[in-house]
Amino acid sequence: MQVEQLQSPQGATIEGPLLISPKAFGDERGWFFESWNQRKFDEAVDEAVVFSQDNHSRSAQGVLRGLHYQLSPEPQAKLVRASIGEIFDVAVDIRRGSTTFGQWVGAHLSAENKQQLWVPEGFAHGFLTLSAVAEVQYKARGFWNKDCERAIRWNDATIGIAWPLDQLAGTEVNLSGKDGDAASLDQATATGDIF
């Protein structure tokens, strides 16, 4: 397993999110890899992580989910991977006082590259489906809690995420009503809805 810290487009290394590349073993019959190993993961993130639930979603091309997060008392961290298709996965630092507040990192996660993105508490998370269909699986630390759930607008100019919209082959971005009405980062900060 290879672990890599990601840099924001501004060139800053953002402490927390990690890109994890499992080692796959393959031959003419197919391939095998460990998608999860408690010991190796805990060593990679330098803490003992206990996951509460596994989630699985299926999305058509152009579906954008996010930018989601949960506040106390039930914050969530996520280990995300695409088991079918390809997504562009993003984590945005929303930790008050962080030197990288408002900056983001992103990675192409696909069934082919088998990479995973660790999104710890303190980050908003979202993804854009690039392939015709994608199935995304993620392990979550912390249970889903509607009262703690928040969202930040996916195209907030303050954050400036460079979503690879050119890879959608003319498909429009498809949002849920909740995500379409999400607050800006400035609004979330003003109301105290950040970490």
Side-chain angles (χ1 to χ4, degrees):
M1 177 172 82
Q2 180 181 343
V3 179
E4 172 186 355
Q5 280 194 309
L6 300 173
Q7 287 194 324
S8 72
Q10 295 87 352
T13 298
I14 298 182
E15 296 294 325
L18 297 171
L19 184 64
I20 299 171
S21 302
K23 183 169 176 66
F25 301 92
D27 58 26
E28 68 280 353
R29 299 169 299 150
W31 49 260
F32 168 86
F33 74 100
E34 281 185 348
S35 63
W36 167 248
N37 179 304
Q38 183 79 51
R39 185 180 310 124
K40 289 178 183 177
F41 183 76
D42 289 353
E43 288 173 7
V45 301
D46 199 27
E47 65 175 301
V49 175
V50 177
F51 288 112
S52 307
Q53 64 186 60
D54 282 354
N55 301 322
H56 190 141
S57 70
R58 182 176 174 92
S59 303
Q61 186 175 49
V63 169
L64 193 146
R65 299 184 187 273
L67 302 163
H68 301 153
Y69 59 102
Q70 287 188 186
L71 296 174
S72 291
E74 196 77 64
Q76 274 193 328
K78 301 172 183 174
L79 179 62
V80 185
R81 71 184 181 106
S83 55
I84 294 175
E86 180 180 7
I87 62 170
F88 184 67
D89 204 43
V90 172
V92 179
D93 188 348
I94 56 170
R95 299 170 296 176
R96 189 186 329 265
S98 168
T99 59
T100 55
F101 179 81
Q103 294 185 37
W104 63 276
V105 293
H108 287 262
L109 306 182
S110 69
E112 186 175 320
N113 69 23
K114 301 170 186 53
Q115 292 180 323
Q116 302 173 28
L117 185 63
W118 167 241
V119 182
E121 295 90 343
F123 290 81
H125 170 257
F127 67 84
L128 173 64
T129 306
L130 300 176
S131 51
V133 67
E135 291 195 15
V136 176
Q137 296 174 303
Y138 56 97
K139 301 180 95 49
R141 174 168 62 183
F143 292 102
W144 177 75
N145 184 322
K146 184 175 175 44
D147 295 335
C148 299
E149 189 177 43
R150 302 290 187 278
I152 292 174
R153 191 174 311 129
W154 71 280
N155 60 352
D156 185 327
T158 304
I159 301 169
I161 297 170
W163 297 101
L165 301 177
D166 59 325
Q167 295 181 27
L168 296 181
T171 302
E172 295 293 319
V173 170
N174 185 350
L175 301 168
S176 70
K178 177 186 74 175
D179 290 348
D181 294 335
S184 69
L185 179 59
D186 288 343
Q187 289 168 328
T189 302
T191 58
D193 282 342
I194 58 171
F195 287 85

